[in-house]
Amino acid sequence: MVGREHEPLRDIVIVGGGTAGWMTAALLSRLFINGYRIRLIESDAIGTIGVGEATIPAIRTFNQLAGIDEFKFLKATQGTYKLGIEFVDWRAKGSSYIHGFGKIGQDLMWLHPHQFWLHQAARGQAKHFDHYALNCVMARTAKFAPPDPRNPESPMADIDYAYHFDANLYARFLRGRSEKQGVERIEGRIVGVRQHPETGFVEGVTLEDGREVAGDIFVDCSGMRALLIGETLGVGYEDWRHWLPCDRALAVPCENAPTLLPYTRSTARDAGWQWRIPLQHRIGNGHVYSSAHAYDDTIADILLDNLDGAPLADPRPVRFVPGKRHRVWEKNVVAIGLASGFLEPLESTSIHLIQTAILRLIALFPHRGFDAADVAEYNRQSDFEFRDVRDFIIAHYKVTDREDTPFWAYVKHMDIPDSLAERLDLFRSSARFFVHGKAELFREESWVQVLIGQGLDMRHDPMVDMIPEGDIASFMHDIQDVIADCANALPSHADYIARNCRADGILV
């Protein structure tokens, strides 16, 4: 006879709305189709940060699982397409490169194109690395088209993309879908938490008006407050400011620019960096910085002096501590979004970490007994993922020629995690890449573009030297020419949006 501890959980309570809460509600209500009660508690009086407006390609998988039509979603969120991220002044002032999505060129035998580029670059015979990836050339020329699988041998088959969108509009869009799928939204501010006197499991939360909302499992999407995982259950936080010293941001929207660019831009500043995210109705901007290396009013001046158009609001401050919870699943509480940790949005991973946390919860959804093996596996995968993304972000700071300000001198010479040091050593040796785990987010193409762009001194794979130099030169010229021809034939980003997903009242 099956004991009660093996019975399914039925009552799911999501604490907090915003992007994390409504993404959780939208996907759970879409996939948990029989016998589950899903309620979300949020207060209109509590604002959301809402600065995460850029994504990476995996967001398309989430939208597909949630049954979301791409064009309807982009219209509802003032969305645009994203082919990658441009990094300006990161290696040195005046430098620029793009971390583009999708494939770089094509392989020759088992060797990847960056190996041949390194060979040619050492001889002064290679163009900027951006020329050898279609996504980068499309971004530079403000073109866009989705992948075309009809010719798998063409670079067109390997186009990959993500989105820029208004995060607040995205949450509103998901709320509408969630409520149609049966999610009950409860308006109210939580003032108390009731726990089981022996186990410490959360049994219910009390609202300001006296109502109590009970549940079997609670998803903490309460943002940096971490109401359940932190304040109630006391799970500690691992502070990574010694590697990632940026701990504040100012965010401000501004008027649009004449050209609608299909990429995010990150521009290095003296004590951090500035983002630029183009939407249909405005440009999202912000300056992430280290409070130990700059004053708030100075950062505001830098931000406002470097906008494409007039600001549409006053700069809004955000304070954070880069790092993660020691455990993101404790007892019957699972933390998703900012309640679980925060990594600066340099590589647009915030929404992705929400997405993978939801998918992980679905994959390991517990019985009423909350088996310790499920909880441990969830925490193990979450820990790996946070550290994996952390290392990739640290690499942008560590690998640089800059040391012209105290901030850049610090990050250039700081000690780094062993896991990153080992990876950089392998790249220096022969520009080789090996996957460290199944949950690793960034592929070889990402590491290669960033480390070449940042100026890491790398030697090519010795196997390249067995190929005649003339053949290498012809091979690289062919890649460059084919990619340029493909990009030239594509519509502009603005024209593609105007034809397919222009928001009402917006002239693109």
Side-chain angles (χ1 to χ4, degrees):
M1 182 177 179
V2 177
R4 192 170 185 271
E5 68 274 12
H6 296 295
E7 293 178 0
L9 298 173
R10 295 296 189 184
D11 210 336
I12 303 166
V13 178
I14 302 168
V15 173
T19 304
W22 286 114
M23 283 182 71
T24 303
L27 195 56
L28 294 187
S29 61
R30 169 80 173 181
L31 300 181
F32 289 13
I33 58 176
N34 185 26
Y36 288 89
R37 183 186 188 189
I38 302 172
R39 290 173 292 171
L40 184 148
I41 306 169
E42 67 175 347
S43 171
D44 290 332
I46 300 175
T48 58
I49 289 181
V51 298
E53 296 173 330
T55 58
I56 59 178
I59 187 67
R60 290 159 50 204
T61 300
F62 175 89
N63 283 355
Q64 290 164 6
L65 287 171
I68 294 171
D69 176 83
E70 178 173 278
F71 293 159
K72 290 180 181 178
F73 144 72
L74 289 171
K75 289 179 181 179
T77 61
Q78 301 282 358
T80 61
Y81 289 95
K82 176 183 173 183
L83 295 168
I85 306 170
E86 180 190 21
F87 290 92
V88 178
D89 295 343
W90 276 81
R91 176 178 182 174
K93 288 188 175 181
S95 67
S96 170
Y97 70 92
I98 290 181
H99 167 200
F101 306 135
K103 189 176 178 181
I104 301 170
Q106 67 183 63
D107 296 345
L108 180 59
M109 299 186 297
W110 69 90
L111 294 167
H112 303 317
H114 72 274
Q115 298 287 1
F116 301 105
W117 184 88
L118 289 169
H119 176 278
Q120 295 296 89
R123 292 157 177 76
Q125 298 173 1
K127 284 195 171 184
H128 192 290
F129 195 56
D130 286 356
H131 287 277
Y132 302 92
L134 179 56
N135 268 50
C136 296
V137 176
M138 289 167 63
R140 293 287 189 198
T141 54
K143 301 292 188 72
F144 180 78
D148 184 353
R150 292 174 297 181
N151 184 359
E153 302 302 316
S154 166
M156 290 293 299
D158 298 311
I159 294 172
D160 205 357
Y161 65 89
Y163 311 109
H164 307 114
F165 53 75
D166 185 312
N168 290 323
L169 292 179
Y170 186 49
R172 186 185 306 172
F173 176 75
L174 293 176
R175 173 184 168 180
R177 295 184 61 86
S178 300
E179 290 181 321
K180 288 180 181 177
Q181 291 166 181
V183 174
E184 177 188 354
R185 178 187 182 272
I186 300 173
E187 163 64 31
R189 181 170 170 270
I190 296 173
V191 296
V193 180
R194 178 169 58 86
Q195 296 175 262
H196 189 281
E198 296 177 2
T199 66
F201 275 49
V202 173
E203 295 186 323
V205 295
T206 304
L207 305 185
E208 199 169 29
D209 60 8
R211 288 176 295 166
E212 181 175 276
V213 181
D216 297 326
I217 184 170
F218 290 79
V219 183
D220 189 348
C221 298
S222 62
M224 292 180 183
R225 181 185 177 188
L227 172 63
L228 300 183
I229 197 77
E231 288 187 13
T232 301
L233 298 182
V235 177
Y237 195 86
E238 190 171 341
D239 186 337
W240 289 339
R241 278 178 290 189
H242 49 295
W243 292 315
L244 297 170
C246 290
D247 59 355
R248 294 187 186 180
L250 287 178
V252 65
C254 77
E255 294 177 346
N256 249 330
T259 302
L260 188 64
L261 300 178
Y263 59 90
T264 304
R265 177 178 293 145
S266 169
T267 303
R269 302 294 184 203
D270 286 352
W273 58 278
Q274 183 171 330
W275 78 73
R276 180 192 188 277
I277 298 172
L279 306 179
Q280 292 190 41
H281 63 320
R282 62 174 173 82
I283 296 173
N285 309 275
H287 193 321
V288 175
Y289 64 101
S290 165
S291 62
H293 296 92
Y295 294 107
D296 295 351
D297 54 353
T298 303
I299 295 298
D301 291 341
I302 293 171
L303 175 60
L304 293 173
D305 288 345
N306 289 279
L307 301 179
D308 289 79
L312 301 176
D314 293 328
R316 187 158 53 95
V318 179
R319 296 189 178 194
F320 55 87
V321 176
K324 63 172 289 292
R325 293 281 157 194
H326 294 309
R327 297 174 303 282
V328 293
W329 185 340
E330 179 79 352
K331 301 186 185 298
N332 64 333
V333 171
V334 179
I336 291 179
L338 298 177
S340 66
F342 183 83
L343 293 170
E344 62 187 77
L346 183 60
E347 283 285 354
S348 308
T349 53
S350 296
I351 289 177
H352 177 77
L353 291 171
I354 293 170
Q355 171 183 333
T356 54
I358 299 167
L359 294 173
R360 193 175 298 121
L361 176 59
I362 292 169
L364 290 165
F365 200 77
H367 297 288
R368 190 172 296 278
F370 287 89
D371 196 296
D374 295 329
V375 177
E377 182 61 22
Y378 189 98
N379 284 325
R380 186 161 43 244
Q381 290 187 26
S382 298
D383 185 75
F384 175 89
E385 184 174 50
F386 264 93
R387 294 178 192 278
D388 171 54
V389 174
R390 176 203 67 188
D391 283 2
F392 190 58
I393 295 175
I394 293 172
H396 294 65
Y397 291 106
K398 178 65 177 178
V399 182
T400 180
D401 295 336
R402 293 191 63 169
E403 46 186 323
D404 52 297
T405 69
F407 173 82
W408 287 103
Y410 171 78
V411 295
K412 178 180 174 67
H413 296 289
M414 67 182 173
D415 292 332
I416 57 176
D418 291 344
S419 52
L420 174 58
E422 291 164 2
R423 172 153 278 171
L424 295 182
D425 286 344
L426 189 61
F427 265 104
R428 288 188 185 97
S429 168
S430 54
R432 291 169 177 155
F433 175 89
F434 295 94
V435 175
H436 288 171
K438 290 183 179 179
E440 192 160 358
L441 172 58
F442 293 102
R443 299 175 299 182
E444 180 172 6
E445 292 89 347
S446 295
W447 281 94
V448 163
Q449 288 175 100
V450 168
L451 295 181
I452 286 177
Q454 294 289 138
L456 185 70
D457 184 18
M458 290 182 275
R459 294 187 294 269
H460 61 262
D461 189 313
M463 293 297 101
V464 170
D465 295 323
M466 70 179 179
I467 300 172
E469 290 204 18
D471 292 351
I472 294 175
S474 296
F475 175 68
M476 295 302 286
H477 280 302
D478 287 346
I479 290 176
Q480 178 188 321
D481 290 345
V482 169
I483 284 174
D485 289 344
C486 288
N488 287 336
L490 299 177
S492 74
H493 181 220
D495 286 345
Y496 187 87
I497 287 178
R499 287 200 306 267
N500 295 291
C501 50
R502 184 175 63 195
D504 293 339
I506 297 296
L507 298 177
V508 177

